[in-house]
C-alpha cells in the first residue's frame, strides 16, 4: 500500500471543489427586517401579558378551591370535639362536610387549575424572555449585531416553537 500524499482521487482536497458558502455575503439589516423584529417583539409582549393575566386568574381559582378543602376538615374536627360525637347534628354535619370536601377536591382536580396556572406562568416567562432577547438585539448598533438572516431564523424558530408548545390563551 502506497502511503504517499496522493489526493487526486479525493474531491475535497481540490481547491476548486470547496464549498462556495464560505464566502457568502451576510444578509444586511434593513428597515423591513427591523420592522419584522418589532412585530415579533410586540406580539411576544402581548402574549406574555395575556398569559400572566390567565396565570393569576387560574391561581386565584386554584386557591379558592384548595383552601376550603384544607379548612373544612379542621373545622369539622373542632365542631366534633366541641359538641361531642353523640350530638344529634354531629353525624349530619360530618356527612355534609365530607360531601363538600369531596366535591371541592373533585372539582379542583377535574378543572386542573393548578396545572393550568403553572403552564400559563411558564408561557408568560418564555414569551417575556423572547421579548427581552429581541430588545437586546434591536438596541445594538447594526454593525455589532449578528447577521440579519441568522438572527431572524433564531427568533422566528423560537417564536414558532413557543406558539406551538404553549397553552392556549
Amino acid at each position: 500500500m502506497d502511503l504517499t500524499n496522493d489526493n487526486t482521487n479525493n474531491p475535497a482536497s481540490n481547491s476548486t471543489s470547496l464549498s462556495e458558502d464560505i464566502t457568502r455575503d451576510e444578509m444586511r439589516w434593513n428597515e423591513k427586517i427591523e420592522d419584522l423584529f418589532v412585530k415579533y417583539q410586540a406580539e411576544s409582549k402581548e402574549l406574555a401579558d395575556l398569559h400572566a393575566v390567565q396565570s393569576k386568574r387560574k391561581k386565584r381559582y386554584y386557591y379558592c378551591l384548595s383552601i376550603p378543602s384544607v379548612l373544612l376538615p379542621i373545622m369539622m374536627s373542632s365542631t366534633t370535639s366541641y359538641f361531642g360525637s353523640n350530638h344529634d347534628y354531629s353525624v349530619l354535619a360530618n356527612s355534609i362536610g365530607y360531601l363538600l370536601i369531596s366535591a371541592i377536591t373533585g372539582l379542583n382536580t377535574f378543572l386542573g387549575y393548578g396545572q393550568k396556572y403553572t403552564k400559563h406562568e411558564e408561557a408568560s416567562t418564555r414569551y417575556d424572555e423572547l421579548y427581552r432577547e429581541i430588545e437586546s438585539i434591536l438596541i445594538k448598533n447594526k454593525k455589532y449585531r449578528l447577521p440579519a438572516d441568522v438572527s431572524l431564523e433564531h427568533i422566528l424558530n423560537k417564536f414558532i416553537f413557543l406558539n406551538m408548545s404553549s397553552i392556549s390563551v
Side-chain angles (χ1 to χ4, degrees), residues 54-95:
Q54 286 295 320
S55 174
K56 288 177 184 175
R57 181 176 292 143
K58 303 296 182 195
K59 186 176 184 179
R60 195 175 323 122
Y61 292 155
Y62 175 69
Y63 285 157
C64 286
L65 290 175
S66 296
I67 291 173
S69 65
V70 173
L71 292 180
L72 277 173
I74 294 170
M75 291 176 18
M76 287 172 41
S77 68
S78 65
T79 57
T80 303
S81 64
Y82 180 73
F83 288 115
S85 59
N86 295 333
H87 194 272
D88 294 339
Y89 298 113
S90 177
V91 175
L92 180 63
N94 282 337
S95 298

Side-chain angles (χ1 to χ4, degrees), residues 19-20 69 96 105:
S19 175
E20 295 296 322
S69 65
I96 291 172
T105 304

